Amino acid sequence: TAEQVRAAAGAFRVYVSAGPPDPDGDYVVDHSVLTFLLGPDGLVRDCYGRSRTAEELAKSVRGHMESYEPLPPG
């Protein structure tokens, strides 16, 4: 739902906004340009903007995969 999208955007501190609809009802969505890396536990492990190269992003993801340790229960 629109409310769930707003809540998710707020949780990740990203910007999202639907533009005005055209005569066919279509619209453009303006949004932040970020990629989030989530761990198996659903926690945000890193965030990447457009300035990161593919090589930098891949190195970061590999590093997070190699060093991942689950949080203790509780």
Side-chain angles (χ1 to χ4, degrees):
T1 67
E3 185 175 308
Q4 290 170 315
V5 170
R6 282 191 295 277
F12 286 95
R13 293 185 173 95
V14 298
Y15 166 79
V16 61
S17 176
D22 66 15
D24 295 329
D26 297 326
Y27 57 91
V28 174
V29 175
D30 186 22
H31 57 83
S32 301
V33 183
L34 298 170
T35 300
F36 292 91
L37 176 65
L38 304 178
D41 49 16
L43 296 177
V44 174
R45 299 296 174 167
D46 214 334
C47 177
Y48 310 102
R50 295 182 347 179
S51 64
R52 302 285 288 271
T53 66
E55 292 77 18
E56 290 171 334
L57 197 143
K59 182 178 178 179
S60 173
V61 171
R62 277 190 217 100
H64 283 285
M65 290 172 66
E66 291 167 0
S67 65
Y68 174 75
E69 291 186 26
L71 294 174

